[in-house]
Amino acid sequence: MRSGRYGWSSLGYDPDMDKVAEGAVVRAPRSDAVRNRASILKAASHAFATQGSGVDVREIARSAGVGMGTLYRHFPTKDLLLETVLREHFAEWTRTAWDAATDQDPAEALSAFLYDALERQANHRALVEQFAETWDTTEGIATCRRELHPVIDGLVARCHDAGVLRPGVTGEDISLLLVGLGRIAQLASVQGDPLLWRRALQIALDGLQPIHREELPSD
Amino acid sequence: MRSGRYGWSSLGYDPDMDKVAEGAVVRAPRSDAVRNRASILKAASHAFATQGSGVDVREIARSAGVGMGTLYRHFPTKDLLLETVLREHFAEWTRTAWDAATDQDPAEALSAFLYDALERQANHRALVEQFAETWDTTEGIATCRRELHPVIDGLVARCHDAGVLRPGVTGEDISLLLVGLGRIAQLASVQGDPLLWRRALQIALDGLQPIHREELPSD
Amino acid sequence: MRSGRYGWSSLGYDPDMDKVAEGAVVRAPRSDAVRNRASILKAASHAFATQGSGVDVREIARSAGVGMGTLYRHFPTKDLLLETVLREHFAEWTRTAWDAATDQDPAEALSAFLYDALERQANHRALVEQFAETWDTTEGIATCRRELHPVIDGLVARCHDAGVLRPGVTGEDISLLLVGLGRIAQLASVQGDPLLWRRALQIALDGLQPIHREELPSD
Amino acid sequence: MRSGRYGWSSLGYDPDMDKVAEGAVVRAPRSDAVRNRASILKAASHAFATQGSGVDVREIARSAGVGMGTLYRHFPTKDLLLETVLREHFAEWTRTAWDAATDQDPAEALSAFLYDALERQANHRALVEQFAETWDTTEGIATCRRELHPVIDGLVARCHDAGVLRPGVTGEDISLLLVGLGRIAQLASVQGDPLLWRRALQIALDGLQPIHREELPSD
DNA sequence: GATGAATGAGTTTTCATTCAT
DNA sequence: AATGAATGAAAACTCATTCAT
């Protein structure tokens, strides 16, 4: 979090960063800049969630109530804007996930985590899209997805310790299930029927129970 | 299958259909046309599979070694080309699926069906994309996806009859799992590791076993 | 009429012309060629009349029941095909016009000529279009339009001699009226009301009566 | 005229219309935008006038000295650009027409109106084209043509009242004559000889005089 | 700093004409 | 000679990004 010291911009492009020279006075950002940045992120978040990453940048600018120039001053490329939006999403998600992961009994924690995850993905087109687009990369948007990995790995470890998870199941297995069930959640949400994905989640959770002792394929 | 009587072109657009009058001699299509049509379909199939439905038509034409006009003579819109490619995929898929569905014992049949399905989806971006795009429509490409429904419903019924499927599981549940696991297969395939999706499939199959008697959520 | 000696092709391109060398045996054209040429002309005439000169050549070929190659063998460019069609139209028109011009009393003859002319134009989009496109050229399609000029000039002269035409009216005036009224006829025909153009024609004819002695503007 | 309140853009597309909220401060448009909009309209008007509605949009953009994007920002479709150009023409025309129609004695007014009309049509290919294309429709560009109808009907009524117009002549007759004579004017203008259409106009006007008592054809 | 107009390469599709079969 | 498939240069329109005001 490279500009955390300002307390106002924790992610993405910092327009004044390059002005910060040795010994220079760091001036607090103008309040309208702060406000604009926030509206842009809000508008972008909504647009990406409902229409996917293909939305027209102008629509975002318009619904944020700012001009294109302002948008591009804060986020020099569309990709960076998307990245920032998803990063915030993931950051919040990760936060909730840590809560879920620590508060309850392990099995409950895992199921709560997945439930929350699907609810998020059900309502976020771009989120689901980007899982696929960036699966094999390690930079850009992918970095934020990876912030979930420790949470998942922690959950998995706790479950194994408590003997409530099918032996052999890895964090990666859960991540992948997350993606697959996420897609299901999204489709179900298009049909306006959240029950549909809950059924799939139930099936997956049951398949993860330790009654199933058959080895999962490997090598 | 309106041009089945020719025995040479069972799918997609037939540019000379309207020349076929009552009693007219149907002349075999020119060999170059057949070759071109095939190269276009092959190139398109590959392009759609690897790059998704967003590929530039020109790239398809170029890699098929034909001009734009030729491509458009065979497939008057990009959508129709995509539809034809997917239709062929689905047609073949459906065929294999019927085989799988009838030959073996029910549980085996279901698992073979899903296995085959995921292998297909693992290698076809556009296929996976279109599941989502057309989930709630009933026309166009969606029609071919729906040809799988009877197969799935049949499988589900047989499994229930044999008591090898978790009570309450519907054809729609399986369809959704298909989509979700399909996405997983695709991601795993990007990483070049088919084992990954087989693990997810195993988990899902185990969750579908009749040991799990807990009701799936409904209403 | 350069290929009149064959007695079968009086207009347009003659595919074998260039084979006629000194002392060569001039072979009669194949009967299917004659038939094809005729169907092409018929189809083209209908297409140009109903859809204007913008019709797709393929539609003409298709409704003539011949391939594109055949069409282009007879008429090496679309323009030439259009020209030939209009030329035939004009030829027939000119023939009728001469009849009208000689048979009756002059005033009747003029009015009959115009009436016939408008009836033709009412039903021929391309005909009306080409009047405008080629008004200021002297080659190509324009040449056939000009074959009407002598008829018109003859009519005008006879009318002047008989004192039934407003003094000062020229053949060019009549030609222009023809074009203007032609457009009116076409519009009226779109509305399915031929009466409309007859009213305009009546007005024009009355304005041409010799009661009106006021000089028409000149210089 | 929905954006009349701005006092600066009365016709065509207003890209920021939706930004104008209740009580918002309407900022004057940027001078370059105004300039560009004007150049586009000027270039388009000239292009449509000389080459008809078939001109390449790129040519308009190029001769207006703007990029394609700019053109399309101001006029989202080619049709709308054409419509706007013609609408301005018609608006100005209608204005002049009302002047002509009210100022003078009826017969003079009618003749002045027609004279003005033909002068306009003589120099505008697209204008003349669109009369024909839209004759039987009531939407789009046709709406502006229809704004002339009341003027014409008014003129006709005044002329009949004053007994200076041939009995039975309707506004529709005049409209049609307008179109026909317009085409004549256009052709004459191509030859660079405006006298030609004045002669045709004179003939038509004389045919409209009340000396001619013969009924015009009807039913 | 903010604004939103301008840019222009890129995308799909059409159709007169050519040429292999 | 006939066929109809192949060609490819346009043409209309989009949208991420830049830049004048």
Side-chain angles (χ1 to χ4, degrees):
Chain A
M1 288 199 197
R2 66 201 195 294
S3 37
R5 60 197 139 139
Y6 297 155
W8 62 279
S9 160
S10 61
L11 292 164
Y13 180 69
D14 175 356
D16 287 313
M17 204 177 58
D18 45 357
K19 295 201 187 125
V20 180
E22 209 60 35
V25 176
V26 176
R27 150 186 339 242
R30 281 167 42 166
S31 64
D32 57 347
V34 179
R35 222 180 311 116
N36 278 336
R37 199 188 142 83
S39 352
I40 292 168
L41 278 178
K42 192 174 165 198
S45 182
H46 183 255
F48 285 136
T50 52
Q51 301 180 243
S53 49
V55 247
D56 192 324
V57 200
R58 268 171 298 196
E59 190 179 323
I60 297 175
R62 185 153 37 83
S63 65
V66 304
M68 293 291 288
T70 306
L71 193 153
Y72 270 85
R73 160 165 282 270
H74 286 285
F75 307 96
T77 65
K78 189 190 186 183
D79 266 4
L80 191 47
L81 176 55
L82 175 59
E83 186 178 332
T84 308
V85 163
L86 292 186
R87 213 179 271 279
E88 298 222 327
H89 225 83
F90 276 109
E92 195 206 297
W93 183 0
T94 310
R95 237 174 290 129
T96 335
W98 277 121
D99 290 352
T102 47
D103 280 5
Q104 296 140 299
D105 89 281
E108 271 299 303
L110 181 59
S111 122
F113 167 78
L114 287 173
Y115 192 94
D116 175 59
L118 299 194
E119 216 150 34
R120 286 172 189 282
Q121 292 192 66
N123 299 305
H124 211 301
R125 271 187 68 171
L127 188 67
V128 174
E129 271 169 35
Q130 294 305 313
F131 263 119
E133 297 296 324
T134 67
W135 188 255
D136 54 341
T137 60
T138 51
E139 34 176 50
I141 302 178
T143 58
C144 28
R145 194 191 61 233
R146 290 173 191 267
E147 288 166 23
L148 281 173
H149 290 193
V151 194
I152 296 174
D153 288 342
L155 271 169
V156 167
R158 282 184 61 214
C159 288
H160 277 312
D161 287 349
V164 295
L165 188 61
R166 175 176 190 157
V169 168
T170 66
E172 194 179 32
D173 290 328
I174 303 296
S175 289
L176 278 171
L177 283 175
L178 201 60
V179 172
L181 293 168
R183 167 72 80 120
I184 294 177
Q186 195 183 33
L187 294 187
S189 138
V190 163
Q191 286 192 318
D193 187 354
L195 277 173
L196 285 178
W197 62 258
R198 291 195 204 144
R199 294 168 67 91
L201 172 58
Q202 187 62 55
I203 292 168
L205 283 173
D206 287 339
L208 289 169
Q209 285 187 15
I211 341 164
H212 301 285
R213 312 215 59 85
E214 192 187 343
E215 285 264 337
L216 293 173
S218 69
D219 295 351
Chain B
M1 284 199 200
R2 69 202 196 296
S3 35
R5 61 196 140 139
Y6 300 156
W8 59 277
S9 162
S10 61
L11 290 163
Y13 178 81
D14 176 357
D16 291 308
M17 200 178 59
D18 40 0
K19 286 292 292 293
V20 179
E22 209 60 37
V25 174
V26 176
R27 153 190 332 248
R30 273 165 47 167
S31 61
D32 58 345
V34 177
R35 219 181 312 120
N36 278 332
R37 191 181 148 75
S39 339
I40 293 168
L41 276 178
K42 193 176 165 197
S45 184
H46 183 254
F48 285 137
T50 52
Q51 302 180 243
S53 49
V55 246
D56 191 326
V57 202
R58 275 170 302 186
E59 191 181 322
I60 298 176
R62 196 163 358 99
S63 68
V66 304
M68 290 295 290
T70 304
L71 193 154
Y72 272 86
R73 157 171 269 270
H74 288 282
F75 307 96
T77 65
K78 189 189 183 183
D79 267 7
L80 190 47
L81 177 54
L82 175 59
E83 188 176 331
T84 309
V85 165
L86 292 186
R87 214 178 269 280
E88 295 219 329
H89 262 269
F90 275 109
E92 197 205 294
W93 182 358
T94 308
R95 235 175 292 129
T96 335
W98 279 119
D99 290 351
T102 47
D103 281 4
Q104 298 139 303
D105 86 282
E108 271 299 303
L110 180 60
S111 121
F113 168 78
L114 286 173
Y115 191 94
D116 176 59
L118 299 194
E119 213 150 37
R120 288 171 188 284
Q121 293 192 61
N123 299 305
H124 215 302
R125 264 187 74 170
L127 188 67
V128 174
E129 269 172 37
Q130 294 305 313
F131 262 120
E133 297 297 323
T134 66
W135 189 254
D136 53 343
T137 60
T138 51
E139 32 175 54
I141 302 177
T143 57
C144 25
R145 194 191 61 231
R146 287 169 193 271
E147 286 166 25
L148 283 172
H149 290 193
V151 194
I152 296 175
D153 289 341
L155 272 169
V156 167
R158 283 183 59 215
C159 289
H160 278 309
D161 287 349
V164 295
L165 188 60
R166 175 175 190 156
V169 168
T170 65
E172 193 179 30
D173 290 328
I174 302 295
S175 289
L176 278 170
L177 282 174
L178 202 59
V179 173
L181 293 167
R183 168 72 81 121
I184 294 176
Q186 194 184 34
L187 295 187
S189 136
V190 164
Q191 284 193 317
D193 187 355
L195 279 173
L196 286 178
W197 63 258
R198 293 197 202 144
R199 295 169 66 90
L201 172 57
Q202 188 60 57
I203 293 168
L205 284 173
D206 288 338
L208 289 170
Q209 286 188 13
I211 341 163
H212 300 285
R213 313 215 59 86
E214 190 186 344
E215 286 263 338
L216 293 172
S218 68
D219 296 351
Chain C
M1 288 198 198
R2 66 200 195 295
S3 37
R5 60 199 139 139
Y6 296 155
W8 61 280
S9 162
S10 62
L11 292 163
Y13 180 68
D14 176 355
D16 287 314
M17 203 177 58
D18 45 358
K19 296 201 187 125
V20 179
E22 208 60 35
V25 175
V26 176
R27 154 190 333 247
R30 282 166 41 167
S31 65
D32 56 348
V34 179
R35 223 180 311 117
N36 278 336
R37 198 189 144 82
S39 356
I40 293 168
L41 279 177
K42 191 175 165 198
S45 181
H46 183 253
F48 285 135
T50 52
Q51 301 180 242
S53 48
V55 248
D56 193 324
V57 199
R58 268 170 297 196
E59 190 179 323
I60 297 176
R62 185 153 36 83
S63 65
V66 303
M68 293 291 288
T70 307
L71 193 154
Y72 271 84
R73 158 165 283 271
H74 285 285
F75 307 96
T77 66
K78 189 189 185 183
D79 266 5
L80 190 48
L81 175 56
L82 175 59
E83 185 177 333
T84 309
V85 164
L86 292 186
R87 213 179 271 280
E88 297 223 326
H89 225 83
F90 275 109
E92 195 206 297
W93 184 359
T94 310
R95 238 174 289 126
T96 336
W98 279 120
D99 290 352
T102 46
D103 280 6
Q104 297 138 301
D105 87 281
E108 271 298 304
L110 180 60
S111 120
F113 168 77
L114 286 173
Y115 192 94
D116 174 59
L118 298 194
E119 215 150 36
R120 286 171 189 282
Q121 293 192 62
N123 299 306
H124 212 301
R125 270 188 68 172
L127 188 68
V128 174
E129 271 169 34
Q130 294 305 314
F131 262 119
E133 298 295 324
T134 66
W135 189 255
D136 55 340
T137 59
T138 50
E139 36 176 47
I141 303 177
T143 58
C144 29
R145 195 190 60 234
R146 288 171 193 267
E147 287 167 22
L148 281 173
H149 289 194
V151 194
I152 296 174
D153 288 341
L155 271 168
V156 167
R158 281 184 61 217
C159 288
H160 277 311
D161 287 350
V164 295
L165 186 61
R166 176 175 190 158
V169 168
T170 67
E172 192 178 32
D173 289 328
I174 302 295
S175 288
L176 278 171
L177 282 175
L178 201 60
V179 173
L181 292 167
R183 166 72 80 121
I184 294 176
Q186 196 184 31
L187 293 187
S189 137
V190 164
Q191 285 192 318
D193 187 355
L195 277 172
L196 284 178
W197 62 259
R198 293 196 202 143
R199 294 168 67 91
L201 172 56
Q202 187 61 56
I203 292 167
L205 285 173
D206 287 338
L208 288 170
Q209 285 186 15
I211 342 163
H212 300 284
R213 314 216 59 86
E214 191 186 344
E215 285 263 338
L216 293 174
S218 70
D219 295 351
Chain D
M1 284 197 202
R2 71 200 193 298
S3 35
R5 61 197 142 137
Y6 300 155
W8 58 276
S9 162
S10 60
L11 290 164
Y13 178 66
D14 176 356
D16 291 309
M17 202 178 58
D18 41 359
K19 286 292 291 294
V20 180
E22 210 59 37
V25 175
V26 176
R27 156 189 330 250
R30 272 164 50 166
S31 61
D32 57 345
V34 176
R35 216 180 316 120
N36 277 332
R37 195 188 145 84
S39 338
I40 293 168
L41 276 179
K42 193 175 163 198
S45 183
H46 182 253
F48 284 137
T50 52
Q51 301 181 247
S53 49
V55 245
D56 191 328
V57 201
R58 273 172 303 187
E59 190 180 322
I60 297 178
R62 196 165 356 99
S63 67
V66 303
M68 290 294 289
T70 304
L71 193 154
Y72 272 87
R73 158 171 268 270
H74 288 282
F75 307 96
T77 64
K78 190 190 184 184
D79 267 6
L80 190 47
L81 177 54
L82 175 58
E83 189 177 330
T84 308
V85 164
L86 292 186
R87 215 177 267 281
E88 296 218 330
H89 261 269
F90 275 108
E92 198 205 294
W93 180 0
T94 310
R95 236 174 292 128
T96 336
W98 278 118
D99 290 350
T102 46
D103 281 4
Q104 297 139 302
D105 87 281
E108 272 298 304
L110 180 60
S111 120
F113 168 77
L114 287 173
Y115 191 94
D116 175 60
L118 298 195
E119 214 149 35
R120 287 171 189 285
Q121 293 192 63
N123 299 305
H124 213 302
R125 264 188 73 170
L127 187 69
V128 173
E129 268 172 38
Q130 294 304 313
F131 262 120
E133 297 297 323
T134 68
W135 189 255
D136 53 343
T137 61
T138 51
E139 31 175 54
I141 303 178
T143 58
C144 24
R145 195 190 61 230
R146 287 170 194 269
E147 287 166 24
L148 284 173
H149 289 193
V151 194
I152 297 175
D153 289 342
L155 271 169
V156 167
R158 282 183 61 214
C159 289
H160 278 311
D161 287 348
V164 296
L165 187 61
R166 175 175 190 157
V169 169
T170 66
E172 193 178 30
D173 290 328
I174 302 295
S175 289
L176 278 171
L177 282 175
L178 201 60
V179 173
L181 293 167
R183 167 71 81 121
I184 294 176
Q186 193 184 34
L187 294 188
S189 136
V190 164
Q191 286 193 316
D193 187 355
L195 278 173
L196 286 179
W197 61 257
R198 292 197 203 143
R199 295 168 67 90
L201 172 56
Q202 188 60 54
I203 293 168
L205 284 173
D206 288 337
L208 289 169
Q209 284 188 14
I211 340 165
H212 300 285
R213 313 216 59 86
E214 191 187 345
E215 285 263 339
L216 292 172
S218 69
D219 294 352

